[in-house]
Amino acid sequence: MRKLNIGLIVLGFTVLIVLMVALLAKDNKTIKLTTFEKAYNYTSLYQDSEIMNMTFLINSKDLYITKESSFRECFISDYDYSNQLKITLEQISFINESFEISHEMYYLYEFIFTIDTRTESDFTLEIERAYLNLETKFDEVLKILIGSFCLYKVKEFGSEDLVVANLKGIVNDVDNFKRLVAVDIGLRNNCNVKINIVEIEFLDINICGSSTNTIISTNQNYQSSTSLNQILGYEYDIFQREAIETHFCQLDADESMKLLIPLKYNQDINLYQFGIKIIYQIDNQVYNLYIDDFLFFETFEFTTEQISKLNIYTYENH
């Protein structure tokens, strides 16, 4: 009887150990990842490629998802795949940072892609809710909402007649988040005739410039952190849309001018950089001046509220 009891005890411990190992193995097969959604936008020449950097928070290190060889194909799409753009994964790197989300540690990884879309004419792709699709060698597709995505292919950037003399952003705290609220741009007429600025278009699906609130001056300088409300002299709502006017100003021969253009957002999104298109006229002839995607500011500081709103994606490890 005593031998039988010892046998049962040994059997019980064996079963317990097997169950614990099974549970641990199950936990090790669970991948959790998330990303801070933001506006991705790129302006490039017809035959040029672009580098696209994305950061992801992953709940463990050295998982298959952190190795380039685990993926067959990558592309950007909208939810129903009616718009798709193939991209190439070049590198995955661990960044020595971590975040705690719901009492669990997440580690920051950077995924670097190449956008090698080449065209022979102007091309525009705008996706308001864009997904990164990662097809793995295990016949899975990881579909992750990354924010918005815009790609603009143009023939040429510059202009000898109209020159951008300076460019910077006004960044304020709005609802406890740092946001780009206005663009401060300086223009110079390099030719000997008048230039009519018809429109200044910000190349991102989420924003437009407020022409009715634009301040035009010849020598006004603003610090990047200056309150936009203080500059305007009244409270300005970046989320209240308005009718778009298409006429900005005129520059006489060899004249310089500065424009402070407040932004209007059509959705609440992290926006750090974008290109600019300036449409202008000389003697009734229309021209375009492009500025490629300009980085106005960047932050890696995120509030507790922003972290609490992150979408956590769960996948099986292999």
Side-chain angles (χ1 to χ4, degrees):
M1 182 64 70
R2 185 176 178 181
K3 291 184 179 180
L4 180 58
N5 289 337
I6 293 174
L8 290 173
I9 292 172
V10 171
L11 179 61
F13 273 112
T14 303
V15 171
L16 182 60
I17 291 171
V18 170
L19 288 173
M20 290 177 65
V21 170
L23 287 171
L24 288 172
K26 185 177 181 180
D27 287 341
N28 289 335
K29 288 188 176 181
T30 300
I31 297 175
K32 295 179 183 179
L33 69 88
T34 186
T35 187
F36 291 99
E37 296 168 19
K38 70 175 187 176
Y40 294 88
N41 50 69
Y42 304 91
T43 304
S44 63
L45 301 179
Y46 292 166
Q47 296 299 311
D48 286 356
S49 60
E50 289 278 352
I51 299 298
M52 183 177 186
N53 299 72
M54 295 186 186
T55 53
F56 292 93
L57 291 165
I58 303 175
N59 68 323
S60 185
K61 300 178 184 178
D62 300 322
L63 300 171
Y64 91 90
I65 199 174
T66 63
K67 299 175 177 62
E68 299 93 339
S69 59
S70 299
F71 301 100
R72 291 175 179 166
E73 190 175 61
C74 311
F75 61 96
I76 302 293
S77 75
D78 51 17
Y79 181 77
D80 60 3
Y81 304 107
S82 56
N83 292 290
Q84 297 185 35
L85 182 76
K86 184 177 179 180
I87 58 177
T88 302
L89 177 60
E90 303 290 352
Q91 184 179 344
I92 300 174
S93 301
F94 172 63
I95 300 174
N96 192 23
E97 291 189 45
S98 59
F99 290 77
E100 184 175 343
I101 304 173
S102 299
H103 308 293
E104 185 174 5
M105 294 306 300
Y106 284 73
Y107 303 93
L108 192 63
Y109 281 84
E110 182 179 48
F111 286 52
I112 301 175
F113 301 90
T114 298
I115 305 171
D116 195 20
T117 301
R118 301 173 188 267
T119 65
E120 300 296 333
S121 59
D122 286 6
F123 171 82
T124 296
L125 175 64
E126 296 178 324
I127 305 175
E128 189 168 1
R129 289 178 59 81
Y131 293 83
L132 172 66
N133 299 267
L134 302 171
E135 182 181 324
T136 75
K137 63 183 182 181
F138 305 105
D139 297 324
E140 291 180 298
V141 177
L142 314 185
K143 185 177 181 180
I144 305 159
L145 179 64
I146 58 171
S148 64
F149 179 86
C150 299
L151 176 64
Y152 306 91
K153 304 293 288 187
V154 302
K155 183 178 181 180
E156 57 188 3
F157 288 122
S159 162
E160 295 182 356
D161 299 321
L162 183 65
V163 175
V164 176
N166 68 277
L167 182 62
K168 66 181 178 183
I170 304 297
V171 179
N172 290 174
D173 285 333
V174 180
D175 299 330
N176 299 318
F177 301 156
K178 286 190 179 300
R179 300 185 191 275
L180 182 68
V181 296
V183 170
D184 188 10
I185 183 170
L187 300 175
R188 185 174 68 248
N189 182 351
N190 271 358
C191 60
N192 57 7
V193 296
K194 180 176 64 179
I195 290 180
N196 181 37
I197 307 299
V198 177
E199 184 177 356
I200 298 179
E201 179 183 351
F202 300 129
L203 299 179
D204 184 87
I205 195 173
N206 302 288
I207 57 170
C208 67
S210 173
S211 56
T212 56
N213 293 279
T214 293
I215 297 176
I216 301 175
S217 66
T218 55
N219 58 3
Q220 188 68 265
N221 290 311
Y222 304 101
Q223 297 296 320
S224 294
S225 59
T226 305
S227 166
L228 181 59
N229 292 341
Q230 180 181 336
I231 294 172
L232 296 175
Y234 50 86
E235 188 171 343
Y236 181 79
D237 186 354
I238 63 173
F239 295 110
Q240 183 178 355
R241 298 306 295 264
E242 64 181 37
I244 299 175
E245 296 183 8
T246 59
H247 181 78
F248 269 93
C249 62
Q250 293 180 344
L251 284 84
D252 292 329
D254 298 318
E255 182 183 14
S256 295
M257 189 168 291
K258 299 193 70 175
L259 299 92
L260 182 81
I261 309 173
L263 300 181
K264 291 290 187 181
Y265 286 71
N266 61 23
Q267 68 168 324
D268 185 358
I269 192 167
N270 295 316
L271 176 68
Y272 306 121
Q273 69 180 49
F274 49 83
I276 300 175
K277 176 183 179 182
I278 302 175
I279 304 173
Y280 64 98
Q281 287 181 334
I282 300 177
D283 295 330
N284 294 321
Q285 181 70 39
V286 178
Y287 301 91
N288 295 325
L289 165 64
Y290 288 95
I291 304 168
D292 63 355
D293 32 288
F294 182 84
L295 181 63
F296 290 95
F297 89 107
E298 192 169 22
T299 181
F300 293 99
E301 296 179 3
F302 300 99
T303 66
T304 303
E305 182 179 352
Q306 286 176 305
I307 293 175
S308 68
K309 292 180 179 179
L310 289 172
N311 293 316
I312 306 295
Y313 299 86
T314 302
Y315 304 99
E316 290 299 306
N317 192 23
H318 295 278

